[in-house]
Amino acid sequence: MRFMTFMRNLLYILLLAFYSSLCYAQGSGDRFILFEKEGRSGYVTPDGKVVISAQYNSAFDFSDGAAAVHDDGKWFYIRPDGKPVGNNFFAYARPFSEGMGAVKIRGKWGFVNVHGVLEINPRFVHVGDFKSHLARASVTGQVRYGVFEGKTGYIDKSGNFLIKPQYDSANDFREGFAAVKKDGNWGFINQQGLFVINPIFQWASDFEGEMAPVRLNDLYGFIDKRGNLVIPPRFENAGVFSEDLASISIDTKCGFVNKTGVIVIKPVFESCSDFKEGLAAVRVRETEHGKTKYSWGFIDKDGAMVIEAKYARVAPFSGGISRVTLRNNSFLIDKKGREVVIVDK
């Protein structure tokens, strides 16, 4: 009897393990991490196990259960098992956001759903991603020197303009507001297209954590959702808040402030990224034998360099893993700076 009970329990454990691994393999794929091998891109689990071999020229992270990849001169979407989503190919494809992926066909942008079916016909010259059920879009204009020039509005998921094209520049919606530029100044609108913060700023970025960076009188500060300057403009530059800290610049050097405006990490770095999973990438400058070298490393929220600044490029941490480049070699590291060993299928 004990033996039979043991065998039943063992069988249950094995079935549970199999089912769990199957669910993981057939899940959304959002935990998969991009890696590179010999100039090709693929995907691994956070512990370094290859789930989709390095076979694509370029690729994006998984989102909404699919990833946009580029191979043989065309873009398409794949599922977590590596199989294509639908049968369509595109000149360009972006990651899914709110179940919609922006795709480029014959020079115009439209959107597909997570099944690869075209939901919004390609008729736009420029689009953003869907945020709060709206996406910025333009039917006229052009990109010059990396900057789009043309009137922008916002469409719904049927492709209809809910906010007509009227802004000289516009951001995606964040926390219910979108930063837009009109008549030379920046302000914020709600999802009805009404200005909730008047366009009085030289520049404005997105709300994150109920605060947004703005530029006024050639200096940067932060406002709340009522438009009040909660951190007066006194910085040369500023980024959005992430994990309750925002990057700022003083005397060309970068550091971080908290939401009361107190500098908690002194501005001593050449460049800073946002904090993700408790770490922020920073760029340092070193001079040796008359030669200047710039390298990236990672600091914690006390400003301590916890991963040595020695990399040419780094990506933010996601799932405890970062993609880095050192001496033209790209690989993955964990939050201790240790290389993640890639285990092929």
Side-chain angles (χ1 to χ4, degrees), residues 55-119:
Q55 57 189 287
Y56 305 111
N57 293 330
S58 185
F60 285 106
D61 289 322
F62 272 87
S63 60
D64 292 348
V69 298
H70 180 260
D71 193 32
D72 196 24
K74 54 186 178 291
W75 283 87
F76 55 100
Y77 292 96
I78 60 170
R79 303 188 190 280
D81 59 6
K83 295 180 180 179
V85 177
N87 300 312
N88 294 321
F89 299 99
F90 312 102
Y92 197 80
R94 297 212 304 256
F96 281 102
S97 178
E98 296 187 358
M100 303 284 276
V103 295
K104 197 172 189 179
I105 303 173
R106 299 186 186 93
K108 295 294 180 71
W109 288 91
F111 288 86
V112 296
N113 62 25
V114 293
H115 303 293
V117 177
L118 201 62
E119 287 279 354

Side-chain angles (χ1 to χ4, degrees), residues 53-322:
S53 61
Q55 57 189 287
Y56 305 111
N57 293 330
S58 185
F60 285 106
D61 289 322
F62 272 87
S63 60
D64 292 348
V69 298
H70 180 260
D71 193 32
D72 196 24
K74 54 186 178 291
W75 283 87
F76 55 100
Y77 292 96
I78 60 170
R79 303 188 190 280
D81 59 6
K83 295 180 180 179
V85 177
N87 300 312
N88 294 321
F89 299 99
F90 312 102
Y92 197 80
R94 297 212 304 256
F96 281 102
S97 178
E98 296 187 358
M100 303 284 276
V103 295
K104 197 172 189 179
I105 303 173
R106 299 186 186 93
K108 295 294 180 71
W109 288 91
F111 288 86
V112 296
N113 62 25
V114 293
H115 303 293
V117 177
L118 201 62
E119 287 279 354
I120 300 176
N121 289 326
R123 64 185 183 93
F124 305 103
V125 297
H126 189 68
V127 296
D129 295 324
F130 273 95
K131 303 291 183 182
S132 302
H133 309 293
L134 296 176
R136 53 192 167 87
S138 304
V139 290
T140 60
Q142 61 182 337
V143 176
R144 295 182 47 147
Y145 308 109
V147 178
F148 177 74
E149 296 178 352
K151 296 297 183 182
T152 299
Y154 292 85
I155 59 173
D156 62 15
K157 291 187 177 181
S158 297
N160 300 316
F161 275 104
L162 292 191
I163 303 173
K164 67 178 182 180
Q166 57 189 290
Y167 308 112
D168 302 320
S169 188
N171 291 359
D172 294 332
F173 273 89
R174 289 285 194 279
E175 298 185 0
F177 290 4
V180 298
K181 184 181 182 182
K182 192 170 185 179
D183 298 328
N185 288 324
W186 286 80
F188 291 85
I189 60 170
N190 61 18
Q191 290 174 265
Q192 288 72 49
L194 301 175
F195 272 104
V196 289
I197 298 175
N198 289 327
I200 61 172
F201 305 105
Q202 295 171 293
W203 172 87
S205 189
D206 303 325
F207 273 98
E208 295 287 352
E210 303 290 316
M211 296 174 68
V214 295
R215 185 183 181 204
L216 196 62
N217 298 323
D218 295 328
L219 292 173
Y220 291 78
F222 294 85
I223 61 172
D224 62 18
K225 286 190 170 181
R226 294 183 178 180
N228 299 316
L229 280 166
V230 291
I231 301 178
R234 67 179 192 272
F235 308 114
E236 295 171 358
N237 209 336
V240 299
F241 273 93
S242 179
E243 298 183 4
D244 295 325
L245 296 179
S247 62
I248 51 88
S249 294
I250 297 176
D251 294 333
T252 73
K253 300 295 184 181
C254 177
F256 290 86
V257 296
N258 63 19
K259 288 188 173 182
T260 64
V262 174
I263 295 176
V264 293
I265 298 176
K266 293 180 179 180
V268 296
F269 306 106
E270 299 298 314
S271 304
C272 301
S273 73
D274 296 336
F275 271 93
K276 301 292 182 184
E277 299 185 2
L279 298 179
V282 294
R283 189 170 180 244
V284 300
R285 174 182 177 180
E286 296 176 332
T287 302
E288 186 175 348
H289 306 302
K291 293 184 178 181
T292 300
K293 181 179 73 171
Y294 296 91
S295 303
W296 288 89
F298 288 89
I299 61 171
D300 62 17
K301 290 187 175 181
D302 293 321
M305 188 73 71
V306 294
I307 297 178
E308 180 185 355
K310 61 181 180 180
Y311 303 106
R313 294 195 304 272
V314 297
F317 272 92
S318 176
I321 302 295
S322 170

Side-chain angles (χ1 to χ4, degrees), residues 44-60:
V44 298
T45 58
D47 59 0
K49 182 179 179 181
V50 174
V51 288
I52 299 175
S53 61
Q55 57 189 287
Y56 305 111
N57 293 330
S58 185
F60 285 106

